[in-house]
């Protein structure tokens, strides 16, 4: 199933070039009271929402996908967890270009581990990216994003995919420079997620997905998740060895080679096999 959020917090099922409005299915989410659970409520109750949405689908009003404004498919992720330097070819380009990485001896995820990006940076494709520091270098990083579906700690690689709700395309937008990653990657709108959530069972192997990113029609990044250093299962095992994972946590799996700067007026077109295509404007 491909679930999207669109317009004013509508819920949709994407089928081909159309979106079916199944917003009534959000009624399957029980009312929450203070203190709220550490989870995105839609992801926490995804099974119930899916059941209700499936019942609504045959008579749901439909419209063209082109006519709607797509929001982030996860509204309130508890965290954005992200992998630094998780592709060898990106390590090589970072070492060759001092503008990409302030350190002249860039290592990999094996050394750096993971970092956190502020969850408040999250936007959907229709909202676009706003550059708060246009005089600095602002880079695109296309990444496969894993949406965690269940709470868990010390999850083994073998069981890791049982904890996945689904997948989406992410942009880990980045200001280059010497400050800590968590600062440079957390300005408002610097985490894009979309175009929708593709549920786990639709993706046979998340470690074998082709991806591409074009800026104004020019190819910048093209790779496959086959080249991940820590694959999806190992990332979940590693992350959950440090902290408990919660429904709605987003795991940005790292970017392949080809990162580069964007400017106001650019449009980034992002594609990952099986997950769709999204166009994201830069302002
Ligand atoms: Mn990244």
């Amino acid at each position: 199933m491909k679930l999207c959020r669109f317009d004013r917090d509508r819920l949709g099922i994407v089928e081909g070039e159309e979106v079916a409005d199944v917003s009534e299915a959000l009624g399957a989410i029980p009312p929450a009271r203070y203190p709220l659970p550490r989870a995105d409520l839609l992801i926490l109750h995804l099974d119930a929402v899916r059941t209700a949405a499936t019942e609504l689908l045959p008579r749901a009003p439909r419209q063209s996908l082109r006519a709607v404004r797509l929001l982030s498919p996860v509204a309130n992720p508890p965290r954005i967890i992200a992998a630094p330097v998780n592709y060898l070819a990106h390590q090589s380009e970072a070492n060759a270009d001092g503008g990409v990485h302030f350190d002249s001896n860039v290592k990999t995820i094996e050394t750096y581990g993971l970092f956190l990006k502020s969850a408040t940076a999250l936007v959907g494709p229709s909202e676009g990216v706003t550059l708060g520091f246009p005089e600095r270098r602002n880079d695109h990083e296309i990444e496969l994003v894993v949406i965690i579906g269940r709470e868990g700690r010390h999850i083994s690689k073998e069981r890791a995919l049982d904890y996945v709700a689904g997948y989406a395309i992410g942009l880990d937008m980045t200001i280059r420079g010497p400050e800590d990653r968590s600062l440079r990657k957390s300005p408002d709108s610097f985490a894009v997620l979309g175009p929708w959530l593709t549920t786990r069972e639709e993706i046979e192997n998340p470690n074998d997905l082709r991806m591409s990113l074009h800026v104004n029609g020019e190819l910048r990044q093209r790779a496959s998740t086959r080249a991940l250093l820590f694959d999806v299962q190992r990332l979940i095992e590693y992350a959950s060895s440090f902290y408990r994972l919660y429904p709605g946590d987003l795991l940005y799996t790292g970017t392949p080679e080809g990162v580069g700067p964007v400017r106001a007026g650019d449009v980034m077109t992002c594609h990952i096999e099986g997950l769709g295509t999204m166009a994201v404007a830069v302002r």
Side-chain angles (χ1 to χ4, degrees), residues 1-196:
M1 183 179 285
K2 294 175 168 58
L3 273 179
C4 70
R5 290 177 60 244
F6 67 100
D7 294 346
R8 296 173 64 127
D9 295 311
R10 309 298 297 174
L11 182 72
I13 293 180
V14 177
E15 290 190 327
E17 297 300 309
E18 286 187 329
V19 54
D21 189 329
V22 292
S23 300
E24 267 182 61
L26 293 171
I29 299 174
R33 295 189 57 178
Y34 176 87
L36 293 174
R38 242 174 223 165
D40 178 90
L41 292 177
L42 172 61
I43 304 300
L44 180 62
H45 299 287
L46 188 60
D47 289 346
V49 172
R50 283 185 69 168
T51 301
T54 302
E55 285 169 13
L56 289 164
L57 185 60
R59 53 199 160 78
R62 288 166 183 264
Q63 55 187 312
S64 167
L65 259 176
R66 292 173 187 277
V68 303
R69 286 175 50 80
L70 290 167
L71 308 173
S72 165
V74 181
N76 295 297
R79 266 178 306 198
I80 300 177
I81 301 162
V85 202
N86 200 14
Y87 289 84
L88 279 180
H90 176 54
Q91 180 199 22
S92 301
E93 76 177 350
N95 272 318
D97 180 353
V100 172
H101 202 293
F102 197 70
D103 191 341
S104 57
N105 179 18
V106 181
K107 299 172 185 70
T108 71
I109 186 168
E110 301 256 10
T111 303
Y112 297 130
L114 298 167
F115 66 94
L116 296 176
K117 193 171 161 82
S118 176
T120 54
L122 190 67
V123 293
S126 72
E127 292 159 279
V129 169
T130 301
L131 304 181
F133 297 91
E135 72 286 2
R136 293 188 60 175
R137 178 169 166 176
N138 294 270
D139 276 13
H140 55 75
E141 296 190 351
I142 186 174
E143 310 195 359
L144 169 69
V145 178
V146 178
I147 299 161
I148 298 297
R150 285 170 55 197
E151 188 174 325
R153 182 93 208 273
H154 298 301
I155 301 163
S156 68
K157 276 187 289 194
E158 292 69 28
R159 296 181 56 222
L161 294 188
D162 296 342
Y163 288 79
V164 173
Y167 306 94
I169 307 171
L171 276 169
D172 173 20
M173 298 303 298
T174 302
I175 299 173
R176 300 300 176 194
E179 302 96 332
D180 190 87
R181 278 188 180 86
S182 66
L183 180 71
R184 293 184 287 109
K185 290 168 173 278
S186 291
D188 296 349
S189 81
F190 267 44
V192 186
L193 190 72
W196 41 75

